[in-house]
Amino acid sequence: MAIKKESFMRGTMTLSVAAFINRILGFISGIFVARVLGAEGIGLLMMAHPLVPLVITITELGLPVAISKLVAEAYVRDEKMKVRRILYVSLSLTCFLSITLTTLSLLGSQWIASILLSDQRAYYAMLAITPIAPIVAVSAVLKGYFRGIQQMKIIAASDVLEYSVQIACVLALVHLLLPYGVAYAAAGAMAASVISEAISLLFLVISYKVRGEAKLPGETWAGHLKQGKQTLKELMQIGLPTTGQGVVQSVYSAFQPLLIATSLAMTGISTAVATKQFGMLAGYAFPLLFMPSFITQSLSTALVPAIGEAAASKKDRLVHERMNQALNLGLLIGAPATVILFEWAIPLTKLVYGAPEAGLLLKILAPMFFLHYFDAPLHAILLGLGRANATFWNYVVSTSFKAIAIFVFGSQFGIVGVTFGIGIGIVMQTLLNFFSISSSIGIYMSIQPYLAVGVSMLLMAISGHWSFEYLSVVQGFSFLWSVVGSIICSLLIYFAAFLLMNALRKASRTILIPR
């Protein structure tokens, strides 16, 4: 039975609701793990994780993104046979590569750990997470197919199922293994991810079997592979640059803990202290920073096939319409999130993690991280336009500058310098993607919403600071209610000011950033 395609905005909303549920579940799980394992245990988790993204990236070959774009274009042309061929070729290649590389990773795990891990206690966690690679790779291919036909309900349901199972397994395994030491508890947290991903994959396979399109008489897997040379070429044209970016990202992520530890060591900090500081940055500050971005991430997921379909149909106005929707949403979500994360940085880290010392790192990153809420949609737009090469080189340049900045600033100013270095990379990557789009198709922007949001952010920050002082000092409210009350008050001021200026509906001045 064929699956009916959802509208762009309906699919985005479906993914956003699922992503919100998943963020809440993941956030609760993260708080539990952070409080039980502490900064040191979180540091071990962050050190053990980067090898797996590298394996997954190589096995996927950028296929999920390529699948969603090519499937969407094939559906516009009503080429159902090609849709199935895309899926079969992708699954065959992914299964072979993922099983091969995962086996090699397991056999060479001790040698890999001796090179990548600055703290050898992270070895067990790295070993526990390695089997996840083929599961995630196959799941990603199936999700790419469902994105391509713009059927987001199945993806949303699989994600919610995955996070629900994961939080249950994390709670159980960490509690069970903690008496044996923090290294084994960290490994248990990693094993929970493997179990939840396996359940999610099973759901995706069943969904395709039950609701996917039936094969035509005489249509076989082997037949698709024999005639799949051109399909593989088309997939690789998009997938290889995406893979290149993923490989660079994974290699950098694998060496980032070592880079940070080395730069911090030059300031005289011990390995144990460096691990704790890295844990505060990666395990405390970043989850709070990424929390509000679930909507823009969901929009980005739907953007690749939507932009690809519009471009294939030569509907330039629709391409720009989708682009403006993405940028406006990034603006409306990112602005208040940035104010909250900056203004309440120390209270939030104290309230959530019991670690107010992590607040300084959050406060440093929050203003620069504002551009991150635009980066995912910009990246998706470039992929939808078929400019995967641009996204690759933009990432290479920004990552190179980030690595240099981390080492230079970290060796001089410690963890604060490392934080500034990471922020510089975020800013540069977003700007490079922005300029790539403007040079390709131009970007039409309405100025008034940005001015209105800027004024609203200022009013929000002022009212938030005043209300927190009033509730905590004058009224004597508890710390929890002072934080919650002041954030709610500031959000009301933000949205009231924004609606009062009626920025989006009354925008009249438009500029074109030419090619």
Side-chain angles (χ1 to χ4, degrees), residues 384-405:
L385 293 172
R387 296 205 58 195
N389 281 325
T391 65
F392 169 69
W393 289 111
N394 290 346
Y395 184 79
V396 169
V397 172
S398 61
T399 301
S400 300
F401 272 88
K402 179 168 65 174
I404 295 171

Side-chain angles (χ1 to χ4, degrees), residues 179-247:
Y180 297 96
V182 66
Y184 289 98
M190 289 297 200
S193 298
V194 178
I195 297 172
S196 61
E197 284 284 356
I199 298 297
S200 176
L201 173 58
L202 180 62
F203 174 82
L204 289 171
V205 171
I206 294 174
S207 297
Y208 180 77
K209 290 290 185 181
V210 173
R211 303 185 62 186
E213 297 177 19
K215 295 187 295 184
L216 296 177
E219 184 179 346
T220 64
W221 195 294
H224 280 296
L225 294 183
K226 289 180 180 179
Q227 302 176 32
K229 184 177 179 179
Q230 180 60 32
T231 300
L232 179 61
K233 181 180 178 180
E234 293 176 358
L235 287 167
M236 291 299 97
Q237 286 177 344
I238 302 173
L240 286 180
T242 304
T243 302
Q245 178 177 338
V247 169

Side-chain angles (χ1 to χ4, degrees), residues 91-264:
L91 282 174
S92 300
L93 185 59
T94 298
C95 288
F96 172 76
L97 288 175
S98 62
I99 293 173
T100 301
L101 290 177
T102 300
T103 302
L104 293 176
S105 298
L106 289 172
L107 293 176
S109 59
Q110 290 186 339
W111 176 76
I112 295 170
S114 66
I115 296 176
L116 295 182
L117 302 181
S118 58
D119 192 327
Q120 293 302 306
R121 292 176 299 168
Y123 169 73
Y124 299 106
M126 186 192 76
L127 201 62
I129 194 66
T130 302
I132 204 173
I135 302 173
V136 173
V138 175
S139 294
V141 170
L142 291 174
K143 289 179 180 179
Y145 164 77
F146 286 122
R147 290 189 194 105
I149 61 175
Q150 298 186 41
Q151 172 57 39
M152 306 302 178
K153 290 180 180 178
I154 294 176
I155 299 175
S158 70
D159 289 343
V160 172
L161 176 63
E162 175 192 333
Y163 273 84
S164 300
V165 173
Q166 183 179 13
I167 191 172
C169 292
V170 164
L171 294 174
L173 291 177
V174 170
H175 178 74
L176 181 66
L177 295 175
L178 188 59
Y180 297 96
V182 66
Y184 289 98
M190 289 297 200
S193 298
V194 178
I195 297 172
S196 61
E197 284 284 356
I199 298 297
S200 176
L201 173 58
L202 180 62
F203 174 82
L204 289 171
V205 171
I206 294 174
S207 297
Y208 180 77
K209 290 290 185 181
V210 173
R211 303 185 62 186
E213 297 177 19
K215 295 187 295 184
L216 296 177
E219 184 179 346
T220 64
W221 195 294
H224 280 296
L225 294 183
K226 289 180 180 179
Q227 302 176 32
K229 184 177 179 179
Q230 180 60 32
T231 300
L232 179 61
K233 181 180 178 180
E234 293 176 358
L235 287 167
M236 291 299 97
Q237 286 177 344
I238 302 173
L240 286 180
T242 304
T243 302
Q245 178 177 338
V247 169
V248 173
Q249 182 177 4
S250 299
V251 170
Y252 170 76
S253 297
F255 282 96
Q256 180 177 269
L258 192 59
L259 174 65
I260 292 175
T262 302
S263 63
L264 293 179

Side-chain angles (χ1 to χ4, degrees), residues 164-413:
S164 300
V165 173
Q166 183 179 13
I167 191 172
C169 292
V170 164
L171 294 174
L173 291 177
V174 170
H175 178 74
L176 181 66
L177 295 175
L178 188 59
Y180 297 96
V182 66
Y184 289 98
M190 289 297 200
S193 298
V194 178
I195 297 172
S196 61
E197 284 284 356
I199 298 297
S200 176
L201 173 58
L202 180 62
F203 174 82
L204 289 171
V205 171
I206 294 174
S207 297
Y208 180 77
K209 290 290 185 181
V210 173
R211 303 185 62 186
E213 297 177 19
K215 295 187 295 184
L216 296 177
E219 184 179 346
T220 64
W221 195 294
H224 280 296
L225 294 183
K226 289 180 180 179
Q227 302 176 32
K229 184 177 179 179
Q230 180 60 32
T231 300
L232 179 61
K233 181 180 178 180
E234 293 176 358
L235 287 167
M236 291 299 97
Q237 286 177 344
I238 302 173
L240 286 180
T242 304
T243 302
Q245 178 177 338
V247 169
V248 173
Q249 182 177 4
S250 299
V251 170
Y252 170 76
S253 297
F255 282 96
Q256 180 177 269
L258 192 59
L259 174 65
I260 292 175
T262 302
S263 63
L264 293 179
M266 296 179 68
T267 65
I269 296 176
S270 67
T271 300
V273 174
T275 300
K276 290 182 179 179
Q277 290 187 343
F278 180 68
M280 284 195 300
L281 179 62
Y284 294 171
F286 275 111
L288 289 172
L289 289 163
F290 281 109
M291 182 70 178
S293 63
F294 68 92
I295 295 180
T296 54
Q297 290 291 341
S298 300
L299 181 61
S300 301
T301 299
L303 261 178
V304 175
I307 293 291
E309 181 180 307
S313 304
K314 301 188 182 303
K315 297 178 180 178
D316 293 340
R317 175 173 289 186
L318 183 59
V319 170
H320 282 278
E321 180 183 332
R322 299 297 189 224
M323 188 188 313
N324 286 331
Q325 287 174 328
L327 294 178
N328 286 336
L329 193 57
L331 177 68
L332 293 177
I333 298 301
T338 299
V339 174
I340 291 173
L341 294 171
F342 180 82
E343 188 69 30
W344 286 269
I346 295 176
L348 282 174
T349 52
K350 178 181 178 181
L351 183 65
V352 176
Y353 301 111
E357 62 273 18
L360 174 61
L361 307 181
L362 180 59
K363 201 176 191 71
I364 292 171
L365 274 175
M368 293 181 283
F369 207 82
F370 175 59
L371 290 182
H372 171 78
Y373 303 114
F374 298 93
D375 182 60
L378 291 173
H379 178 83
I381 291 167
L382 282 172
L383 292 176
L385 293 172
R387 296 205 58 195
N389 281 325
T391 65
F392 169 69
W393 289 111
N394 290 346
Y395 184 79
V396 169
V397 172
S398 61
T399 301
S400 300
F401 272 88
K402 179 168 65 174
I404 295 171
I406 287 175
F407 183 78
V408 172
F409 293 140
S411 60
Q412 296 294 321
F413 306 107

Side-chain angles (χ1 to χ4, degrees), residues 435-510:
F435 290 133
S436 293
I437 294 175
S438 67
S439 66
S440 179
I441 60 173
I443 295 182
Y444 293 88
M445 295 175 59
S446 182
I447 288 182
Q448 190 171 345
Y450 292 85
L451 296 176
V453 166
V455 174
S456 300
M457 290 175 70
L458 180 61
L459 293 175
M460 179 182 176
I462 294 172
S463 63
H465 178 79
W466 177 85
S467 59
F468 180 75
E469 293 293 328
Y470 177 78
L471 292 174
S472 60
V473 178
V474 178
Q475 294 295 327
F477 280 26
S478 66
F479 182 73
L480 170 62
W481 288 111
S482 296
V483 172
V484 173
S486 57
I487 289 176
I488 292 175
C489 177
S490 68
L491 284 172
L492 291 175
I493 294 295
Y494 170 82
F495 286 111
F498 186 79
L499 291 175
L500 183 64
M501 289 181 279
N502 205 11
L504 290 178
R505 291 195 297 270
K506 293 184 178 179
S508 57
R509 181 183 175 187
T510 302

